[in-house]
Amino acid sequence: MWIQPEEVLLAGALWVSERANPFFILQRRRGHGRGGGLSGLLVGTLDVVLDSSARVAPYRILLQTADSQIYWNIACGSNRKEITEHWDWLESNLLQTISIFDSDEDVTTFVKGKICRVQPGEEPEEDCGKFREAELKMRRLFRMPEEEKLVNYYSCSYWKGRVPRQGWLYLSVNHLCFYSFLLGKEVTLVVQWTEVTQLEKNATLVFPESVRVSTRHEEHFFSMFLNINDTFKLMEQLANIAMRQLLDNEAFSADRSLPKPCKTLKNVSALKRDLDARAKNERYRTMFRLTQDERLDGHTDCTLWTPFAKMHVVGQLFISNNYICFNSREEELCQLIIPLREVSIVEKADSSSVLPCPVSISTKNKMTFLFANLKDRDFLVQRISDFLQRTPDSCWGDASPLSLIGHSAPASSESVSRGRHYHSGLPTASQALLQLYQQDAAEDLGPRAMKEKMKEEAWNIHFSEFGRGVCMYRTSRTRELVLNGIPERLRGELWLLFSGAQNEMASHPGYYGDLVEQAMGLCSLATEEIERDLHRSMPEHRAFQNETGIAALRRVLTAYAHRNPGIGYCQAMNIVTSVLLLYCTEEEAFWLLVALCERMLPDYYNTRVVGALVDQGVFEDLTRAFLPLLYEHMQDLGVISTISLSWFLTLFLSVMPFDSAVLLVDCFFYEGIKVIFQVALSVLHDNMDALLSCSDEGEAMTILGRYLDNVVNKQTVAPPIPHLHALLTSGDEPPPEIDVFDLIKSSYEKFGSLRSDVIEQMRFKQRLKVIQSLEDTAKRSVVRAMMTESAFSIEELEELYCLFKAQHMTSCYWGSSSSAAERHDPSLPYLEQYRIDPAQFTQLFTALAPWLCGGHTPSLSARLFRILDQNQDGLVNFKEFITGLSGMYHGDMTDKLKLLFKLHLPPALCPEEAESALEATHFFTEDTIQESSCVSNLDILGQQEVTSGEEGKDGGGDSEEKKEEKVKDYRYYLRMWAKEKEPKRETIKDLPRMNQEQFIELCKTLYNMFSEEPLEQQLYHSIATVASLLLRIGEVGKKFNNGCKKTNSSQTPPTAQAPPTAQAEQEGSAEGASGESQVCRALADAQLEPDEEAKDDTSVSSYSVVSSGSLQCEDIADDTVLIGSGEQRRGSVLDADWSITFEQVLASLLTEPPLVDYFEKKRDIQAKMAACKAQRVVERQISSASDHELTQHSI
């Protein structure tokens, strides 16, 4: 029977080989079958004596490779007949196939996969226990929530100083974690992927074959991996996802789509397999220039019959949901892309010894492709047939291609189409701009025109031999023709073909026209920038000196900005798009722009031009590798970073004459970005001597500018177009001309060894640096902006920003209520880009705030969050967070008390926390005010109106002023706008009055706030004294207000700044008893539990001190009886007419020196920030046996 492949280290022990070939060995166990001698007898006796469950099958088949000492047991049998059947199947089905593999590793992987599929049940044995155990251990050790998904874990060594610590490395979606427990010392390391600045695999004498993980402040080395290459690839992938999180929100949504690791196979999580599949998809799409939604279904080795070379080419066949692709093993020998929409017939041809297992694929344009040496031919044909059944004849059928953006019905009549912004009657809908302006020109019969006709003829011969359209064979001959220049008449067609844009355009009929209709007429920042740059796009070319070219350019750029709001519009897109319109129709130019921005030049044209900055870093590394002397000098001058950005963003179109630069665009669409790097290196190499003699940046820029201005195309047939840059930089002596064909040829000769996969690897390395550098720039901008609005130092603001950003990232990837797009909007100012929700705010508040109230802290945090969340979107940005924190740390006593006062008023005090707050809110929203409402509540309403917008002040004024405003209405609106923008200075008189329930909540907060202070008893005594005083002030104010109401007086009650008179105290004593007992009960309820040793009967509690010393009750015991009695409960109903003002609270607190000292005391936030940072890396000694036992459950 076939078994799950298992490693066998000693293939000859106790076994005899009976058959063998270069890949497989059939063995018989000694003691079974014929002969065996004494050793066979001993082995046979041993097998018989052992229990039946431990007996070994007498026959087995091993997989062997030439360069490995490890064998794989793939089959076993109880008799010779059974094992012989397995052997015959291997020889007939696998032996011929694996003989063409170059790598032993590929042979092992293929055979193991094949054996797993032919096992009974066709499902490998599940063994998710160890992985599930590792995931649970990771969450326990590093305090991770269930939302954090473990991808894989590895045994390795972490170098702490010069000593390696053996342990386990856990790679999760968002963190790199390491844990080790050795000789009583525990090491715990947690690094967020978003903090990684560099990831390198290196081998040195100190760290043999290790992985270095660098952050801004430290470096970590890991070594002793069983398979370091796989580990490093996974690290790269996870770090890349993290960089996408910092750049935009795509990675967060991708994280949500990852499968739950509920079913794992052989200790590999579903996440790991999914990430591996993503990496293969990415390589597949990049290799064949396919769209982002293409998913690789599988690939297999095969041969392709090439009629032009009359030979079979060895390579790989790739199958995906919309394409069949082939790539030769030998680079650039042959590449083929067959869209399934073009396939008409797929059939199995007759097999022979010369052509085993062939498959013939015919297309609608009468081309036939013959693939042979296919493994699992039947399965392959079935998969292609399945995909063909899902591919409708008209690729989108009746469905609208604008499924995500909206649908606009296509124009069915000429009258309707004429009303659309884009229709088939437009000149640019069917012709390129060059064709429009050259159709009336006389035929040129000069030598350049003859050269152009010869190029066209060469391409026509190529089409007849290699095919035309998307199914064309792409060979080294194709590249030679591209390097010699594409004829102008074929340029648009071949650009579409080589970029892959033709496939997208064919798959989305009508998409561009509908998109134009939706986009035109909309106003946004992108459309304003487009209008500003329209007339700056190749103004020297006559195609853009009239409305036809300008209107076409406007439609293409506006449509793309509507399609991709994340990019919108970026400068340099107008230059590239104008060149595309010269050789393509509008729709073709649009799809070419899509291919450029989204695939060929990723992230080039976003708001921060990250892609161009990444390639600038790659260019610097390439210069260091190929031109080391020049690199050192250029770095001193700072030239490379200046020149390369404009070269890459516009593909040399803005720095080189148009007729020359367009040839580089030809090469770019065929070869990709590597040709731009090659030409850039060649330009530096040609000017090396002159650049080495430069003494400043300006001189170097002039040399390079004049060189590029004089790169000419001597074969062009178009009339010369004046190059504005050349006119500005020309000197007295015209420099020598450089033929662009010689420049391209030289770049391939000197730097043609560049490989696309190497460039991608360098891009990853630079992407980490660039995005982290942009994050540092954002942090510096935020700190500079907040320096004027807070009293924190620069260092404190930087630390707070890092902590706030870490909480923001946590709230994004650990499944909060709001989406990542709501939290992170790169288009916003830096201060508002990162936002956190209430749960994350509570964590930061608990860790950093100076006012900690024990169990009351979350409630206080929620109230502050509601105050800071001015737009009520459930999120707080960094600016709002610092505003609240700065008030607690650096405000004067009045500011701190004002903030504390506001924390106990609506909207900070929610209805769930106080019943009267709900009543007050309901009261304020009623259309009519009852006559029985007291004057103090009217005062509250009036004060709230003042603070909500100061409408009376803004809208007030006499009639003359209003007339003047009407005459100068624009100035009026400017002043209104300025008033809205400037921060309003809130005075203490703007604060509304506080009712009795809100006052009790304030007392609870103060009582909890002092629980950990050294002068705890004095503070309790002081706050009780102040509470008693404020209660009497409220009672006096209530009586005065009621008296005013009875006499229908319109005067407002005077504020009681001083303690009331003795007579007022006597009159209000009866009614005030209820309020005092309410405060007593509140303080008793809010009291923290005392320590066990303080609970004896002889100790005097804080509450007894408060009651006896400040509330002036006759007896403590009597007071206690009052609180507990039913009569008191009936009398303790809250008094709706009772209220106090902030001035009264402030005046009362100023009478108690302990409270004044407490609120005027300067607080240090450094210690609290250090405690937050210390949670990431922990190293401590463990001595207790219980802790030691917890760490013994190794994986």
Side-chain angles (χ1 to χ4, degrees):
M1 59 177 289
W2 302 109
I3 63 174
Q4 187 72 20
E6 298 175 349
E7 290 186 5
V8 177
L9 296 178
L10 299 176
L14 308 180
W15 294 85
V16 178
S17 298
E18 293 196 341
R19 293 188 185 181
N21 60 43
F23 300 99
F24 301 104
I25 302 175
L26 191 155
Q27 293 185 329
R28 173 180 54 83
R29 192 166 176 85
R30 296 180 185 273
H32 295 271
R34 302 182 305 273
L38 181 60
S39 60
L41 182 62
L42 291 174
V43 174
T45 304
L46 183 65
D47 290 343
V48 172
V49 171
L50 288 176
D51 183 69
S52 60
S53 62
R55 291 179 185 174
V56 181
Y59 296 94
R60 70 180 184 182
I61 297 176
L62 302 181
L63 168 66
Q64 65 172 355
T65 53
D67 298 331
S68 176
Q69 299 298 320
I70 298 177
Y71 296 78
W72 294 89
N73 188 8
I74 60 175
C76 64
S78 58
N79 55 64
R80 186 177 297 276
K81 180 181 178 181
E82 180 185 4
I83 204 68
T84 303
E85 289 176 355
H86 288 348
W87 180 265
D88 293 340
W89 186 88
L90 289 172
E91 287 190 327
S92 60
N93 291 277
L94 293 187
L95 197 59
Q96 185 178 5
T97 300
I98 62 180
S99 62
I100 64 174
F101 280 64
D102 291 336
S103 169
D104 291 337
E105 185 178 352
D106 292 342
V107 171
T108 304
T109 303
F110 174 75
V111 174
K112 288 168 61 179
K114 191 71 174 177
I115 297 302
C116 288
R117 290 179 55 189
V118 300
Q119 286 183 80
E122 298 184 357
E123 185 100 0
E125 179 187 357
E126 293 191 13
D127 185 14
C128 61
K130 288 187 177 180
F131 188 86
R132 184 63 57 84
E133 181 184 349
E135 188 171 40
L136 293 175
K137 184 174 182 181
M138 178 202 74
R139 291 174 183 165
R140 175 176 58 83
L141 291 174
F142 307 107
R143 302 182 182 90
M144 298 288 180
E146 291 186 3
E147 291 82 2
E148 185 69 5
K149 305 168 186 174
L150 177 64
V151 179
N152 213 348
Y153 64 101
Y154 304 91
S155 173
C156 71
S157 293
Y158 170 54
W159 290 79
K160 190 74 173 177
R162 296 185 178 181
V163 180
R165 302 179 186 269
Q166 187 66 29
W168 291 94
L169 180 70
Y170 299 86
L171 303 181
S172 68
V173 174
N174 304 295
H175 295 87
L176 177 150
C177 307
F178 178 83
Y179 179 79
S180 172
F181 183 83
L182 191 63
L183 299 177
K185 177 169 285 190
E186 184 184 49
V187 176
T188 304
L189 174 70
V190 178
V191 178
Q192 285 188 345
W193 289 117
T194 52
E195 297 296 323
V196 174
T197 59
Q198 194 169 3
L199 200 61
E200 283 186 321
K201 183 179 65 175
N202 49 24
T204 62
L205 293 175
V206 180
F207 303 112
E209 198 171 27
S210 62
V211 174
R212 182 177 69 176
V213 180
S214 302
T215 61
R216 288 179 176 83
H217 307 294
E218 52 191 350
E219 293 182 342
H220 307 285
F221 290 89
F222 302 91
S223 63
M224 307 272 303
F225 291 97
L226 292 177
N227 194 334
I228 192 170
N229 292 325
D230 288 348
T231 308
F232 185 72
K233 286 180 182 178
L234 181 58
M235 286 182 171
E236 282 187 325
Q237 204 168 1
L238 293 171
N240 207 24
I241 291 176
M243 293 306 105
R244 298 301 309 181
Q245 291 176 355
L246 292 176
L247 187 59
D248 51 39
N249 300 305
E250 293 178 7
F252 291 117
S253 57
D255 181 23
R256 296 283 184 267
S257 69
L258 290 175
K260 296 291 183 184
C262 57
K263 181 179 179 181
T264 55
L265 304 180
K266 286 299 177 186
N267 300 334
V268 177
S269 69
L271 295 178
K272 176 67 167 60
R273 295 198 304 276
D274 184 75
L275 290 172
D276 290 343
R278 287 190 190 187
K280 291 180 181 178
N281 285 332
E282 190 63 33
R283 289 193 296 268
Y284 169 65
R285 291 192 294 259
T286 302
M287 184 186 302
F288 298 104
R289 308 271 174 83
L290 302 179
T291 57
Q292 295 297 322
D293 57 350
E294 202 62 27
R295 297 291 182 268
L296 178 64
D297 186 69
H299 61 91
T300 182
D301 293 329
C302 69
T303 60
L304 171 65
W305 172 253
T306 52
F308 54 89
K310 301 296 188 293
M311 62 179 291
H312 292 277
V313 176
V314 179
Q316 282 191 318
L317 182 70
F318 300 84
I319 308 294
S320 62
N321 46 335
N322 292 302
Y323 297 92
I324 301 171
C325 302
F326 174 85
N327 194 46
S328 61
R329 183 175 298 173
E330 183 180 343
E331 191 175 3
E332 296 184 354
L333 185 59
C334 181
Q335 191 181 76
L336 185 65
I337 301 173
I338 309 173
L340 291 179
R341 67 177 184 273
E342 298 290 331
V343 174
S344 58
I345 300 174
V346 178
E347 58 184 352
K348 293 181 282 188
D350 295 333
S351 184
S352 66
S353 59
V354 179
L355 202 65
C357 303
V359 171
S360 174
I361 299 177
S362 302
T363 62
K364 297 175 182 177
N365 60 354
K366 310 302 181 184
M367 293 184 69
T368 302
F369 305 96
L370 187 62
F371 299 94
N373 290 288
L374 289 163
K375 312 152 192 163
D376 290 337
R377 180 177 64 164
D378 296 341
F379 177 76
L380 179 68
V381 172
Q382 183 61 45
R383 291 299 294 166
I384 296 176
S385 300
D386 292 342
F387 284 128
L388 282 173
Q389 290 178 359
R390 304 172 197 169
T391 306
D393 293 336
S394 62
C395 202
W396 287 91
D398 297 329
S400 169
L402 290 177
S403 57
L404 297 178
I405 300 178
H407 176 67
S408 176
S412 57
S413 64
E414 185 177 355
S415 60
V416 175
S417 68
R418 289 296 179 184
R420 292 166 62 94
H421 292 89
Y422 175 81
H423 53 84
S424 58
L426 289 173
T428 53
S430 57
Q431 286 183 301
L433 288 175
L434 275 185
Q435 292 176 321
L436 289 175
Y437 290 99
Q438 291 180 358
Q439 58 188 1
D440 298 331
E443 185 177 1
D444 188 1
L445 300 178
R448 293 189 177 183
M450 292 298 102
K451 182 75 171 177
E452 185 77 2
K453 290 186 177 296
M454 289 175 63
K455 287 184 181 179
E456 290 182 16
E457 188 61 28
W459 274 99
N460 289 329
I461 295 173
H462 184 274
F463 292 147
S464 63
E465 188 175 354
F466 295 87
R468 188 166 188 169
V470 288
C471 299
M472 179 179 72
Y473 292 97
R474 307 177 192 203
T475 67
S476 55
R477 173 63 181 158
T478 311
R479 191 181 80 165
E480 292 176 8
L481 290 175
V482 171
L483 296 184
N484 289 330
I486 298 177
E488 287 190 351
R489 293 184 181 180
L490 299 175
R491 186 162 274 147
E493 174 189 344
L494 293 176
W495 282 0
L496 284 168
L497 174 64
F498 296 145
S499 66
Q502 184 170 339
N503 290 320
E504 280 193 279
M505 187 171 69
S507 302
H508 297 76
Y511 178 94
Y512 172 69
D514 290 348
L515 197 61
V516 169
E517 294 307 308
Q518 295 183 21
M520 297 301 291
L522 298 178
C523 293
S524 64
L525 179 62
T527 56
E528 293 176 5
E529 293 177 344
I530 289 171
E531 289 297 326
R532 183 187 62 206
D533 288 347
L534 282 176
H535 295 278
R536 305 178 188 174
S537 308
M538 295 189 68
E540 67 274 13
H541 200 289
R542 61 174 184 161
F544 297 99
Q545 294 172 356
N546 57 75
E547 186 56 30
T548 301
I550 295 295
L553 182 61
R554 178 187 293 112
R555 285 191 291 269
V556 173
L557 291 174
T558 305
Y560 185 77
H562 189 63
R563 165 190 166 90
N564 192 343
I567 292 179
Y569 171 76
C570 173
Q571 284 188 342
M573 286 174 66
N574 60 320
I575 297 175
V576 175
T577 307
S578 60
V579 174
L580 300 178
L581 283 169
L582 290 176
Y583 298 100
C584 307
T585 65
E586 264 190 60
E587 187 173 9
E588 292 170 346
F590 170 79
W591 287 112
L592 278 171
L593 184 62
V594 169
L596 273 173
C597 296
E598 298 176 10
R599 295 198 309 276
M600 302 190 72
L601 296 175
D603 302 322
Y604 257 59
Y605 300 107
N606 58 22
T607 53
R608 297 188 281 183
V609 293
V610 172
L613 294 173
V614 168
D615 281 351
Q616 175 183 297
V618 173
F619 182 56
E620 291 184 8
D621 287 348
L622 292 173
T623 307
R624 184 194 295 117
F626 287 100
L627 307 170
L629 292 178
L630 182 60
Y631 170 79
E632 296 295 336
H633 187 66
M634 296 282 278
Q635 282 294 100
D636 295 338
L637 298 180
V639 176
I640 295 181
S641 59
T642 306
I643 59 174
S644 56
L645 200 59
S646 60
W647 293 3
F648 295 140
L649 273 174
T650 63
L651 304 176
F652 285 96
L653 288 167
S654 63
V655 295
M656 193 181 287
F658 169 75
D659 295 325
S660 303
V662 76
L663 292 174
L664 298 183
V665 179
D666 293 343
C667 300
F668 167 76
F669 277 121
Y670 186 78
E671 293 274 27
I673 193 63
K674 63 171 275 188
V675 72
I676 303 298
F677 285 120
Q678 290 177 188
V679 172
L681 288 171
S682 187
V683 170
L684 293 184
H685 183 271
D686 291 349
N687 294 275
M688 183 184 296
D689 295 335
L691 290 173
L692 287 174
S693 61
C694 291
S695 58
D696 56 39
E697 178 185 357
E699 187 179 355
M701 293 289 292
T702 302
I703 290 172
L704 292 171
R706 296 188 68 185
Y707 176 89
L708 291 171
D709 290 338
N710 290 276
V711 176
V712 298
N713 179 6
K714 299 179 180 179
Q715 298 181 11
T716 181
V717 294
I721 300 173
H723 185 46
L724 296 183
H725 190 263
L727 296 177
L728 295 174
T729 58
S730 59
D732 299 332
E733 296 182 9
E737 292 182 343
I738 301 95
D739 193 331
V740 66
F741 291 101
D742 294 338
L743 177 62
I744 294 174
K745 182 180 178 181
S746 172
S747 70
Y748 273 90
E749 290 176 351
K750 296 172 183 174
F751 309 105
S753 59
L754 278 179
R755 294 172 54 89
S756 299
D757 55 347
V758 175
I759 291 175
E760 286 301 319
Q761 188 70 24
M762 298 173 72
R763 274 179 165 177
F764 164 75
K765 179 181 175 182
Q766 291 297 326
R767 191 176 292 116
L768 292 179
K769 292 182 180 179
V770 168
I771 295 182
Q772 297 292 8
S773 175
L774 290 173
E775 289 296 308
D776 291 341
T777 302
K779 180 172 69 174
R780 288 192 294 269
S781 300
V782 168
V783 169
R784 282 197 301 269
M786 292 303 300
M787 281 296 295
T788 58
E789 300 188 22
S790 72
F792 289 114
S793 65
I794 295 178
E795 294 77 12
E796 290 173 342
L797 283 173
E798 288 180 347
E799 292 292 341
L800 288 171
Y801 180 82
C802 293
L803 293 172
F804 185 89
K805 177 181 157 188
Q807 286 293 339
H808 159 84
M809 302 303 297
T810 302
S811 64
C812 282
Y813 55 59
W814 278 348
S816 184
S817 57
S818 53
S819 66
E822 292 175 339
R823 289 193 188 81
H824 187 204
D825 186 356
S827 63
L828 292 175
Y830 287 130
L831 281 170
E832 303 174 16
Q833 281 189 13
Y834 294 127
R835 290 174 282 183
I836 57 177
D837 58 15
Q840 306 299 327
F841 180 84
T842 299
Q843 293 182 17
L844 280 180
F845 182 88
T846 305
L848 299 174
W851 299 344
L852 296 181
C853 304
H856 199 57
T857 301
S859 176
L860 200 65
S861 169
R863 296 174 190 172
L864 181 59
F865 184 91
R866 286 189 284 271
I867 290 179
L868 297 177
D869 184 18
Q870 297 178 357
N871 57 358
Q872 298 183 351
D873 61 349
L875 298 170
V876 166
N877 60 40
F878 182 70
K879 180 179 180 180
E880 294 166 339
F881 172 73
I882 290 297
T883 301
L885 204 61
S886 181
M888 289 186 285
Y889 272 99
H890 299 293
D892 56 21
M893 180 179 175
T894 304
D895 292 333
K896 292 178 182 178
L897 289 175
K898 188 191 303 182
L899 177 60
L900 193 63
F901 189 82
K902 291 167 67 176
L903 288 175
H904 298 83
L905 295 173
L909 194 69
C910 66
E912 290 78 9
E913 293 178 300
E915 293 179 1
S916 64
L918 178 61
E919 295 171 1
T921 305
H922 177 68
F923 172 77
F924 293 143
T925 55
E926 288 180 347
D927 296 332
T928 60
I929 302 176
Q930 299 178 359
E931 293 182 359
S932 60
S933 300
C934 63
V935 179
S936 61
N937 283 335
L938 287 173
D939 187 31
I940 293 174
L941 180 60
Q943 295 291 351
Q944 283 197 346
E945 289 176 352
V946 172
T947 56
S948 63
E950 299 183 353
E951 295 173 358
K953 294 180 182 179
D954 292 342
D958 54 17
S959 59
E960 294 180 2
E961 289 181 353
K962 289 184 178 179
K963 291 179 181 179
E964 185 180 353
E965 304 277 356
K966 290 179 181 178
V967 175
K968 303 177 180 179
D969 54 344
Y970 72 96
R971 296 181 182 176
Y972 168 75
Y973 287 115
L974 284 175
R975 282 197 293 269
M976 291 286 292
W977 179 79
K979 285 183 179 180
E980 290 178 0
K981 291 296 181 183
E982 67 182 11
K984 297 172 183 176
R985 185 66 179 173
E986 188 180 47
T987 64
I988 58 177
K989 293 184 178 295
D990 295 331
L991 293 173
R993 302 175 72 91
M994 177 178 282
N995 64 29
Q996 199 171 72
E997 179 69 14
Q998 295 161 359
F999 174 68
I1000 292 173
E1001 290 295 325
L1002 175 62
C1003 292
K1004 288 182 181 180
T1005 300
L1006 290 171
Y1007 189 85
N1008 283 282
M1009 191 182 295
F1010 305 142
S1011 60
E1012 298 180 3
E1013 289 295 318
L1015 302 177
E1016 180 181 359
Q1017 296 298 329
Q1018 292 89 324
L1019 288 169
Y1020 287 151
H1021 184 90
S1022 298
I1023 195 58
T1025 303
V1026 170
S1028 176
L1029 184 61
L1030 287 172
L1031 279 170
R1032 286 169 171 76
I1033 292 174
E1035 293 297 334
V1036 172
K1038 181 186 71 172
K1039 289 181 67 66
F1040 187 78
N1041 290 340
N1042 289 338
C1044 292
K1045 185 173 67 175
K1046 289 176 182 178
T1047 58
N1048 294 325
S1049 173
S1050 60
Q1051 298 179 359
T1052 58
T1055 52
Q1057 295 285 354
T1061 62
Q1063 183 177 359
E1065 289 182 7
Q1066 294 175 1
E1067 292 176 354
S1069 59
E1071 297 179 3
S1074 172
E1076 290 181 7
S1077 61
Q1078 283 285 334
V1079 175
C1080 293
R1081 182 190 299 179
L1083 295 179
D1085 293 341
Q1087 183 183 3
L1088 298 177
E1089 288 294 331
D1091 296 332
E1092 291 296 330
E1093 58 270 15
K1095 287 187 175 180
D1096 56 40
D1097 296 333
T1098 59
S1099 64
V1100 180
S1101 67
S1102 301
Y1103 173 65
S1104 64
V1105 174
V1106 171
S1107 300
S1108 61
S1110 58
L1111 290 186
Q1112 301 178 7
C1113 299
E1114 294 182 0
D1115 190 276
I1116 298 175
D1118 293 339
D1119 187 36
T1120 306
V1121 171
L1122 274 173
I1123 292 176
S1125 66
E1127 183 181 354
Q1128 175 59 29
R1129 285 177 184 164
R1130 289 192 300 271
S1132 63
V1133 178
L1134 293 173
D1135 196 340
D1137 294 338
W1138 188 96
S1139 65
I1140 56 174
T1141 65
F1142 175 74
E1143 295 100 316
Q1144 294 166 345
V1145 174
L1146 178 61
S1148 302
L1149 285 171
L1150 288 173
T1151 62
E1152 294 294 328
L1155 290 175
V1156 174
D1157 294 340
Y1158 176 83
F1159 284 105
E1160 287 185 345
K1161 181 180 178 182
K1162 296 295 182 182
R1163 306 283 176 172
D1164 184 17
I1165 198 174
Q1166 292 286 351
K1168 291 183 176 290
M1169 291 192 299
C1172 285
K1173 291 168 60 179
Q1175 294 177 0
R1176 298 190 179 183
V1177 181
V1178 181
E1179 181 175 358
R1180 63 184 185 271
Q1181 296 284 344
I1182 296 181
S1183 56
S1184 65
S1186 59
D1187 289 341
H1188 181 72
E1189 289 173 0
L1190 284 175
T1191 61
Q1192 291 303 307
H1193 301 289
S1194 59
I1195 297 167

